[in-house]
Amino acid sequence: MLQARIGKLSTSTGIPLDQLDRLFRMEAVKKQIEKLKKTWSVARGEGDGIPDIGHFVFTGSPGTGKTTVASTLASVLFGLQLKASDKLVETTALDLQGDYLGQTKTKVQGLLEEAKGGCLFIDEFCSFEGQFGKEAIDALVAAMTSPDYRDLQIRIAGYPADVDEVFRKNSGLKSRFQHFFQFPDWTPEDSSRFFALCAESDKFRSLDKAILDGVRRACTVLVPLDGWANGRDVMQLYNDAKSNRAERVFDSPELDKILLEADVAAAIKAMLESRQPKIRKALKALDDPRKSSGPLPAAHFQGPSARSCTVEMADEVMADECPEESTMEADHGKSCNTPTTEAEQEELLKDEEQKDNGEGHASRTNSELGANHEWDERDEGVTDQVWDELQACIGREEQERKDLLRMKEEIKRAMREEQEARQRYEEELARIQAELEKEEQERARREAEEMEARRRAEEDAKQRKFEEQLRRKEEMLRKREEIKQKLRTVGPFFLSS
């Protein structure tokens, strides 16, 4: 019945997967889908019928392509003649939950019926909450095991940790899914490459290296922030740059489509300014404590600056992209080198610590001299209250310096632990991949041996059948010869009588 609904099998082999080639940074996903395609094709080619496609889990951050791949996968499965329809019904976990008792089941049932024969894609799967959320999940599990929805495929998407938490709270749910796709976050280099591809797709002249470097450096600041949306944010940055260009060329059109550094710089500056609260909040504990108002002017303080490197990176990028609007670096005569790797960040912390140690030594020396020769260096006319306040400020400055060094040590330790954890993760991933490749090779070997055994069995059967036919024919010829011989023997007897 399903075969009749699908229709005649297509002779096309690679066309459906071409849709994935148009997606950015999808090499691992395409490889996974190609493997599934081969598995399904072999099963169908060997007469096993239409294979069970199963249900899918997409995990990753916003803007990594989960929804796009879900839509593309529907077309791919339809093009491979594995689904009767390329229909895709999109919803979210919140949309599936009702406002009163009984409404949730009605909502879920309605969407299941709408997606029947196609795919139901549930985004933000981790948003199921309370009794209504549990009711929705129970209804989905029931549908995944019901013969009435055998031709319905369910795909869910969400953050990895949040999806795992939903699975943990709902035993039996994870086992209903057969395929798991991980969508990794974009790096600043990925963002810069995607920006260039967008410009190339819109037929802009090749972008200058300075533009792409500016995008990469800006994304180095933006990527670690909460709420970074990967491809969506890069696309927003690109569209803002195009809007800046449109404003520039409105009165003086260009013969060639050119995106200038100023167009992109203004877009970068706007995005950095809109994210400044998050940038400042990210490392607020390391911000310079001396910026707070106190009883004495800031000029009385002699100590290290405690501004976080992330904040300085944002200031540097904004200054580099729009130098006419930022002169702070020129006043100080220096800028913060943008650390793009963990090694560079750790090296920067070491340099700052050495500088802080030197300045801290001078500060301690002055503090000690102030304590040992308090009345010798005290100017005439300075009251006890003012002098005590000055000594208290010096003490607070020393404590703040110690706290800053401690925080930097904690950051370095956290960076080392993260690097070690990442190394362990990569080693474990390499081990698992090696085991999977070994298992795949072993499975292929077994399949080859089984196919060879079947081929030999078929040849042996054919050989035995041929030999049996030959024996029978020889037996018939022998019997005919015996009959002829008997006829020759009795023939003269009948003739003589």
Side-chain angles (χ1 to χ4, degrees):
M1 176 63 74
L2 183 58
Q3 180 63 47
R5 290 176 58 189
I6 290 178
K8 184 179 179 181
L9 293 180
S10 172
T11 56
S12 174
T13 56
I15 294 178
L17 291 179
D18 289 347
Q19 300 178 61
L20 294 175
D21 291 333
R22 296 192 290 271
L23 302 180
F24 180 71
R25 206 170 181 267
M26 291 295 169
E27 295 80 8
V29 172
K30 183 179 178 183
K31 183 178 179 181
Q32 209 168 342
I33 294 178
E34 283 179 334
K35 184 176 180 180
L36 291 175
K37 174 199 169 187
K38 293 176 182 178
T39 302
W40 295 328
S41 299
V42 169
R44 189 169 55 186
E46 293 179 347
D48 295 339
I50 302 299
D52 184 16
I53 300 174
H55 305 288
F56 289 72
V57 177
F58 297 157
T59 55
S61 300
T64 51
K66 300 186 296 296
T67 305
T68 304
V69 170
S71 177
T72 303
L73 186 58
S75 301
V76 169
L77 296 178
F78 178 69
L80 293 173
Q81 309 298 337
L82 292 170
K83 292 291 291 181
S85 170
D86 60 352
K87 176 171 58 177
L88 178 71
V89 177
E90 298 184 35
T91 186
T92 65
L94 290 177
D95 292 335
L96 288 175
Q97 299 175 75
D99 298 323
Y100 53 84
L101 189 64
Q103 187 186 26
T104 296
K105 186 176 181 180
T106 303
K107 281 189 172 185
V108 175
Q109 194 71 27
L111 285 171
L112 289 173
E113 289 295 330
E114 181 183 354
K116 209 169 183 179
C119 170
L120 176 62
F121 177 64
I122 307 173
D123 201 1
E124 301 175 7
F125 191 74
C126 53
S127 299
F128 286 113
E129 297 177 352
Q131 179 61 33
F132 295 146
K134 186 177 185 307
E135 185 179 354
I137 290 178
D138 291 342
L140 290 173
V141 172
M144 295 166 76
T145 57
S146 172
D148 295 336
Y149 297 101
R150 185 175 300 171
D151 59 348
L152 170 64
Q153 184 188 77
I154 295 179
R155 300 173 199 154
I156 64 173
Y159 288 104
D162 295 337
V163 171
D164 287 341
E165 181 66 14
V166 175
F167 285 155
R168 187 186 65 80
K169 292 181 178 179
N170 299 272
S171 59
L173 177 60
K174 186 174 184 179
S175 61
R176 307 300 178 189
F177 294 92
Q178 290 74 37
H179 309 290
F180 297 81
F181 288 74
Q182 173 67 41
F183 293 75
D185 290 331
W186 288 18
T187 64
E189 289 72 18
D190 293 327
S191 303
S192 177
R193 285 195 300 119
F194 183 68
F195 191 96
L197 289 174
C198 290
E200 181 182 347
S201 176
D202 286 342
K203 302 296 188 294
F204 278 102
R205 183 186 294 179
S206 297
L207 300 182
D208 292 340
K209 184 176 182 297
I211 293 178
L212 298 180
D213 286 344
V215 173
R216 179 187 60 79
R217 294 178 62 201
C219 290
T220 301
V221 178
L222 296 168
V223 165
L225 301 180
D226 290 338
W228 168 251
N230 295 285
R232 284 202 290 270
D233 276 351
V234 179
M235 181 59 71
Q236 177 189 340
L237 186 64
Y238 173 70
N239 289 332
D240 290 346
K242 285 203 305 181
S243 297
N244 295 334
R245 173 191 175 270
E247 185 178 14
R248 175 175 57 82
V249 303
F250 181 78
D251 295 323
S252 54
E254 296 176 336
L255 295 179
D256 293 333
K257 295 179 66 175
I258 303 174
L259 206 57
L260 297 181
E261 186 174 358
D263 302 328
V264 182
I268 290 175
K269 180 176 182 294
M271 180 169 285
L272 286 173
E273 286 181 343
S274 68
R275 309 290 172 90
Q276 277 291 343
K278 291 185 178 180
I279 295 174
R280 303 291 172 180
K281 184 179 178 181
L283 290 175
K284 185 178 179 181
L286 291 181
D287 206 1
D288 191 347
R290 294 168 300 167
K291 290 181 180 180
S292 59
S293 58
L296 293 178
H300 286 272
F301 291 88
Q302 301 294 330
S305 172
R307 299 182 63 205
S308 68
C309 190
T310 301
V311 175
E312 292 183 2
M313 288 165 59
D315 292 341
E316 180 191 359
V317 173
M318 293 177 63
D320 289 346
E321 301 300 336
C322 299
E324 70 281 0
E325 299 186 22
S326 177
T327 59
M328 182 178 295
E329 297 297 346
D331 294 338
H332 286 282
K334 61 181 179 179
S335 64
C336 172
N337 293 325
T338 305
T340 58
T341 65
E342 293 181 0
E344 292 177 359
Q345 292 175 353
E346 188 167 354
E347 184 65 27
L348 179 61
L349 288 173
K350 289 180 179 178
D351 294 342
E352 289 186 355
E353 182 177 354
Q354 292 174 359
K355 179 182 66 176
D356 293 344
N357 287 338
E359 294 179 354
H361 177 72
S363 177
R364 286 194 300 272
T365 302
N366 293 335
S367 178
E368 291 169 358
L369 287 175
N372 295 334
H373 306 283
E374 178 179 346
W375 298 107
D376 293 341
E377 295 184 2
R378 181 172 175 174
D379 296 334
E380 294 183 2
V382 177
T383 64
D384 293 342
Q385 181 180 0
V386 173
W387 185 251
D388 291 341
E389 189 174 352
L390 176 61
Q391 298 302 311
C393 288
I394 294 176
R396 285 197 299 270
E397 179 188 356
E398 176 67 13
Q399 184 60 41
E400 289 166 355
R401 185 196 66 80
K402 293 179 180 178
D403 292 342
L404 177 61
L405 291 178
R406 178 179 55 79
M407 291 179 184
K408 289 183 177 179
E409 285 294 333
E410 292 177 356
I411 289 178
K412 289 197 295 182
R413 184 174 67 254
M415 289 171 57
R416 286 194 299 268
E417 292 175 353
E418 181 182 359
Q419 187 173 9
E420 292 172 357
R422 181 176 299 173
Q423 183 177 357
R424 290 195 299 270
Y425 167 77
E426 292 175 351
E427 291 174 353
E428 180 66 13
L429 181 62
R431 184 188 66 78
I432 293 175
Q433 288 176 342
E435 290 180 356
L436 291 176
E437 291 177 359
K438 184 178 179 180
E439 291 177 359
E440 183 68 18
Q441 293 174 357
E442 181 64 21
R443 185 186 63 80
R445 183 188 63 79
R446 288 197 303 269
E447 289 179 354
E449 290 177 352
E450 291 173 359
M451 291 178 63
E452 178 65 17
R454 287 196 298 268
R455 184 188 65 79
R456 290 180 179 177
E458 291 174 357
E459 289 182 353
D460 291 344
K462 290 179 181 179
Q463 182 66 21
R464 288 194 300 271
K465 184 177 180 181
F466 174 76
E467 292 175 351
E468 180 64 21
Q469 291 175 347
L470 181 61
R471 186 189 63 78
R472 290 179 180 178
K473 184 174 287 188
E474 290 176 347
E475 182 67 19
M476 290 175 61
L477 291 175
R478 186 183 62 79
K479 288 181 178 181
R480 287 180 181 177
E481 188 64 29
E482 289 178 354
I483 293 172
K484 288 180 181 180
Q485 186 63 30
K486 288 181 179 180
L487 290 175
R488 291 192 192 99
T489 304
V490 300
F493 173 76
F494 286 111
L495 289 175
S496 61
S497 59

